[in-house]
């Protein structure tokens, strides 16, 4: 990739803060939408089953759109592509609450998911490029900022819902505010373009084999994340007979643990490397899963879910970083990993429910624990590719020279 001539330490720090603000804005859209799902369900007059059908469309839209991201990045350059795709994503927040019925809601959520996926690939690709030029890990903290944005968006949505604000007004105001904030933030990111002689990627690019292996590790982490977020409160209530307050608190504790671990994760990765960090995280997640399924007390289960969150927190950021370094087309590889992780997030909640129906929730989280074991086994695929000279055994991010 070619780009700016001024890559001084001060410029790189500014670029890091700018891309962190982009991640925060992206997360805030998700948080803003999630809190108003009950209002959207009531407005469109949907039952639980039809709402579940509609909520599959964001992942479908993202999975179909993500392979286009590499082509768009190549055509317009990283900054311009991100500016357009992030604006489409933030503005799409206003669409679902306008839908009067199931089919218009499905269409709105398809667009919502497609723009989310495109901007997700673009910002992760720029995040990795920023990390490479800094020569130290920042992807974990960037994803931590996404979690912070999601928490801020959900907090604002909770206030709006408590005040009885119409979700159409709430989401319109939020969409405009986040679009403005995103456009300001994008001005500071690195302005990178493909080499002039580089061949344009195909419109629908198949991810390289290395990205598929990396995506498998991300799949395990996101499956555990989706299962814990959606089912931890139900587990405490139905399996351990916990009251509503502690049950709900387990989900909040899990989300906060993940956010804090991501914000602090870069120092750990810089010190121990991606592979050892993920192996240790996998061990923590396995320990948490064993506590959840083996100790029948609400407090122990909450601690177990917190350990799962702590263990898987940095896996997805490291998977994106490893994908970007797995070959000559970073955006294409990131799109492949992102598609796999989005698919995992889509199927995890329903898979946990299906296993629970066939056996029990305890067996469902035994499956989550088994997938956490796979993190320790498969962590080696996250090892950075060796540089041509003298770096074959390095396990730290290798900076890409401008």
């Amino acid at each position: 990739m070619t780009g700016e001539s001024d890559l001084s330490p001060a410029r790189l720090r500014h670029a890091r803060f700018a891309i962190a603000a982009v991640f925060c804005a992206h997360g805030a859209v998700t948080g803003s939408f999630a809190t108003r799902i009950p209002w959207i369900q009531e407005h469109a007059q949907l039952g639980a089953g039809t709402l579940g059908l509609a909520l599959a469309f964001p992942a479908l839209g993202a999975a179909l759109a993500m392979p286009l991201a590499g082509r768009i990045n190549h055509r317009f350059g990283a900054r311009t592509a991100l500016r357009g795709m992030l604006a489409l994503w933030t503005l799409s927040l206003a669409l679902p609450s306008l839908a009067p019925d199931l089919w218009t809601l499905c269409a709105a959520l398809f667009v919502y998911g497609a723009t989310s996926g495109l901007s997700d690939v673009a910002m992760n690709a720029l995040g990795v490029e920023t990390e490479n030029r800094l020569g130290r890990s920042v992807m974990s903290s960037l994803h931590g900022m996404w979690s912070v944005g999601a928490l801020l968006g959900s907090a604002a949505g909770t206030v709006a819902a408590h005040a009885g604000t119409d979700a159409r007004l709430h989401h319109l105001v939020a969409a405009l505010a986040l679009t403005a904030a995103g456009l300001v933030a994008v001005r500071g990111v690195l302005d990178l373009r493909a080499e002039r002689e580089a061949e344009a990627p195909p419109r629908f690019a198949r991810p390289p084999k290395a990205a598929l292996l990396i995506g498998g590790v991300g799949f395990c982490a996101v499956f555990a994340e989706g299962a814990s977020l959606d089912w931890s409160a139900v587990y405490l209530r139905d399996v351990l007979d916990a009251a509503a307050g502690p049950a709900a608190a387990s989900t909040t504790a899990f989300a906060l643990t993940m956010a804090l671990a991501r914000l602090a994760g870069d120092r750990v990765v810089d010190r121990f490397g991606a592979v050892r960090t993920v192996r240790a995280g996998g061990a923590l997640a396995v320990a948490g899963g064993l506590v959840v399924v083996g100790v029948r007390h609400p407090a122990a289960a909450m601690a177990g879910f917190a350990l799962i969150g702590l263990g898987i927190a940095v896996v997805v950021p490291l998977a994106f970083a490893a994908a970007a370094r797995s070959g000559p087309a970073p955006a294409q590889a990131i799109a492949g990993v992102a598609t796999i992780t989005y698919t995992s997030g889509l199927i995890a909640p329903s898979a946990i429910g299906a296993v629970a129906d066939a056996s029990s929730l305890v067996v469902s989280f035994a499956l989550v624990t088994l997938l956490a074991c796979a993190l320790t086994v498969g962590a080696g695929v996250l090892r950075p590719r060796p540089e041509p000279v003298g770096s074959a055994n390095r396990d730290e991010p290798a900076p890409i020279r401008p």
Side-chain angles (χ1 to χ4, degrees), residues 30-268:
T30 300
S32 299
F33 167 72
T35 54
R36 305 313 301 270
I37 290 176
W39 189 99
I40 293 170
Q41 179 184 13
E42 182 178 355
H43 177 67
Q45 299 181 338
L46 304 179
T50 49
L51 176 64
L53 172 64
L55 291 177
F57 275 77
L60 178 62
L64 291 176
M66 281 176 171
L68 294 168
R71 182 85 173 197
I72 296 172
N73 264 19
H74 181 91
R75 172 75 180 275
F76 298 103
R79 182 192 289 173
T80 301
L82 179 59
R83 180 185 294 118
M85 289 187 278
L86 183 66
L88 289 174
W89 161 238
T90 51
L91 289 172
S92 74
L93 173 61
L95 297 179
S97 58
L98 299 175
D101 54 38
L102 172 63
W103 301 115
T104 52
L105 178 60
C106 288
L109 290 176
F110 183 89
V111 174
Y112 174 87
T115 55
S116 172
L118 288 170
S119 54
D120 190 286
V121 172
M123 71 185 189
N124 274 286
L126 255 177
V128 172
E129 291 289 351
T130 303
E131 177 178 273
N132 288 337
R133 284 158 171 74
L134 283 167
R136 55 189 173 86
S137 177
V138 299
M139 286 298 290
S140 179
S141 62
L142 292 181
H143 281 253
M145 288 302 297
W146 189 96
S147 297
V148 169
L151 288 171
L152 291 173
S154 62
T158 300
V159 171
H162 183 73
T165 304
D166 189 302
R168 290 169 293 191
L169 176 61
H170 164 215
H171 281 167
L172 176 61
V173 172
L176 294 174
L178 290 171
T179 299
L183 290 175
V184 171
V186 171
R187 293 175 61 185
V189 304
L190 295 177
D191 189 14
L192 304 173
R193 294 181 177 273
E195 300 282 355
R196 288 185 178 181
E197 64 273 14
E199 183 180 352
R203 286 182 174 85
F204 285 92
R206 186 171 60 182
K209 184 181 295 186
L212 296 178
L213 296 174
I214 294 166
V217 174
F219 180 96
C220 296
V222 173
F223 192 99
E225 179 182 353
S228 299
L229 279 173
D230 286 9
W231 286 94
S232 57
V234 178
Y235 188 94
L236 264 73
R237 184 194 65 194
D238 293 354
V239 177
L240 304 178
D241 296 320
S250 68
T251 303
T252 303
F254 176 85
L256 284 173
T257 300
M258 283 201 65
L260 293 174
R262 283 176 169 173
L263 289 172
D266 289 324
R267 292 184 179 181
V268 178

Side-chain angles (χ1 to χ4, degrees), residues 128 131-132 139 318 320-327 330 333 384-385 396-398 400:
V128 172
E131 177 178 273
N132 288 337
M139 286 298 290
L318 291 177
F320 281 133
R325 301 186 186 107
S326 65
R385 291 172 56 141
E396 293 80 25
I400 298 177

